[in-house]
Amino acid sequence: MHELSLVQSLMEQLQDLATENKATKIITVTMEIGPLAGVVIDSFEFAFEALAKDNPLTTKAKLVISKPAISYSCLDCQHVVDNCQERPSLCPACQAPHLYPDGGDQLILSRIEME
Amino acid sequence: MCDACGCDLPIENSTDSKIIEVHQSLLKANTEMADLNRSHFRAMGTVVINLISSPGSGKTTLLEHTIEQLDPAIKIGVIEGDIETERDADRIRTKGVPVVQITTGGACHLDAAQIHKGLHRLQHEYDINSLDLLFIENVGNLVCPATFDLGEDIRVVLVSVPEGPDKPAKYPRAFLGSHAFIISKTDLLPYFDFPVAEARREALEINPKLEVMELSATTGDGFEQWLSYLRQLVQHQKTTNGEK
């Protein structure tokens, strides 16, 4: 359940950004969470709901999460498989099982809409 | 100021929302602290190993036997992470190496800031400026610790034979982020259905770069491969430091 501590650090970042931009209300928070970030989206959303309602800045904030696809490279033939949500079991080019992801572990606060 | 007539009245846009592009990692604070730890470790000439596994896979036992069997010239330190108790640190302390215990008080993982404090405590309590190897024994959990960079050089994931061979497939993030995978308690293989080849294959499919080792700390089987892996890391660190 490390999602709760991740959302706590999100709340701190939101607070800082709101102060910086003299905003009093956050409307939308857009996050990018890669499929390999090790984050359970449901738990993240649950933690967000729980923490957001305690702060006047975020009571009405809406959380939008995008889950970017990633690419895998075959370590045997260097073939790249783009646009995966899940790890392909075999390389479509050489049938070897040694596929290594390129990124996919991002956990990024992309943008916020505030007023 | 108003563009149309040049008056000083503020433009009434307070109800308009504005969008800020942030593009900042949620783990930013942790990563910055981990980078700081990394430079601290470099200055101490230390190879740092973060041990991750479920509770009861034998992390502490692995450390006890490693301390006993590794060349005495290699200076070892340990940072123990647990939710509660000093028990693991007590076990390591009897082996005569510098150790500090971090109790997270409920948190399911160690983070870089805790390691930073732990490192300072270790240096202060034992008056040490250099170490060859520092082991960080993470909180027993195959999920959450995988997300947090502590500034380590090497991440080792352990699975013990009684846990079953499906851990790589079920907890891919821990294996993807690791450098080595240890199958521990291999002395129990006759009593459990643990196809070693299958566990190996599944782990390597997730992360083909993993160094896989099978060992039993109790019987000593396979332990030499682990010790030699550690010696190489220490040697490599000394060579790299010497080149500077």
Side-chain angles (χ1 to χ4, degrees), chain B residues 160-187:
Chain B
S160 66
V161 165
E163 291 170 61
D166 55 1
K167 291 294 171 290
K170 285 186 176 170
Y171 302 88
R173 178 74 169 85
F175 290 82
L176 191 60
S178 291
H179 301 83
F181 167 32
I182 292 182
I183 300 171
S184 62
K185 307 189 188 179
T186 53
D187 52 305

Side-chain angles (χ1 to χ4, degrees), chain A residues 5-52:
Chain A
S5 45
L6 293 172
V7 173
Q8 274 166 341
S9 65
L10 170 64
M11 290 298 165
E12 284 165 23
Q13 287 184 23
L14 292 179
Q15 190 69 61
D16 291 349
L17 288 159
T19 314
E20 241 172 67
N21 292 282
K22 301 186 178 58
T24 53
K25 209 168 96 188
I26 288 180
I27 304 161
T28 320
V29 178
T30 310
M31 296 279 312
E32 193 178 301
I33 303 183
L36 303 173
V39 169
V40 180
I41 306 276
D42 283 351
S43 306
F44 194 91
E45 288 171 338
F46 179 72
F48 185 85
E49 271 171 40
L51 294 179

Side-chain angles (χ1 to χ4, degrees), chain A residues 36 87 109-110 112-114, chain B residues 17-18 20 22 24 173:
Chain A
L36 303 173
R87 192 175 64 87
L109 169 57
S110 315
I112 47 181
E113 185 185 0
M114 53 175 122
Chain B
S17 64
K18 65 172 167 179
I20 312 278
V22 188
Q24 202 172 69
R173 178 74 169 85

